[in-house]
Amino acid sequence: APRGKRALWMLNVQVGTQSISPLMWAIETGSLESARAIITDLLTIRADRDRYYYGMDILFERHEDIIQRLCLDAPALMPVLLDGLIWRSRITENGQRRVNYYLRHLLVDSHGNFAKATEWITDNADPKLVIHPVICMVTDMVWSRVA
């Protein structure tokens, strides 16, 4: 698939008059390995000479409730999604590595309101999930800077 269309093809397929998401279809039918592959592919940063490609925004635009859906239907995929929201540099300087966390969609929804991601993760009651570096960063930001 062309790089600019790749993410769209994994999240939206037109079948007759209906639009379906291969990702949600994989989750709903229990094809978790397929869903894992789609999430991993969407959240892999790619580049060509003109621009970077990262499917995070498209994923959260198409499935604003992806965190809730994974918590309820495929909790084993939550670490895969959260790991995809972290970029780690391959270069170390003085024993340290640069890291970027992509948190916007976990903090703010598409309407500019506080996102429900933290609520959904709390409702899931998985202690291993709440210590993931992305969730720790989100909750630390909320409690130390916003609240």
Side-chain angles (χ1 to χ4, degrees):
R3 290 221 170 139
K5 305 275 186 200
R6 184 182 188 120
L8 290 173
W9 288 5
M10 286 188 272
L11 295 172
N12 191 27
V13 174
Q14 193 71 27
V15 180
T17 59
Q18 282 195 323
S19 173
I20 64 166
S21 167
L23 173 59
M24 282 300 141
W25 187 41
I27 292 169
E28 289 166 2
T29 60
S31 301
L32 298 187
E33 285 306 312
S34 297
R36 175 186 304 272
I38 291 170
I39 291 169
T40 301
D41 193 77
L42 284 169
L43 298 179
T44 298
I45 298 173
R46 295 182 173 80
D48 59 22
R49 292 182 298 168
D50 298 325
R51 63 178 288 216
Y52 287 93
Y53 300 92
Y54 183 46
M56 176 195 64
D57 287 331
I58 296 169
L59 172 63
F60 281 95
E61 285 168 16
R62 175 78 166 112
H63 301 296
E64 198 167 347
D65 64 341
I66 187 69
I67 301 289
Q68 182 182 38
R69 297 295 303 270
L70 291 180
C71 283
L72 294 174
D73 301 331
L77 296 179
M78 275 301 298
V80 175
L81 178 96
L82 296 174
D83 288 344
L85 299 178
I86 302 173
W87 172 84
R88 292 176 177 90
S89 175
R90 57 180 168 76
I91 300 166
T92 58
E93 293 179 24
N94 299 323
Q96 295 188 334
R97 184 180 310 265
R98 184 174 165 201
V99 177
N100 290 344
Y101 291 87
Y102 296 91
L103 308 174
R104 179 181 61 210
H105 298 288
L106 302 180
L107 291 168
V108 180
D109 68 14
S110 63
H111 306 292
N113 300 317
F114 188 70
K116 293 187 176 187
T118 305
E119 179 183 333
W120 294 329
I121 289 166
T122 304
D123 290 345
N124 193 41
D126 181 356
K128 289 182 182 177
L129 186 57
V130 297
I131 62 167
H132 190 280
V134 168
I135 303 305
C136 289
M137 179 67 78
V138 167
T139 54
D140 288 350
M141 284 183 68
V142 169
W143 293 114
S144 66
R145 297 181 186 171
V146 180

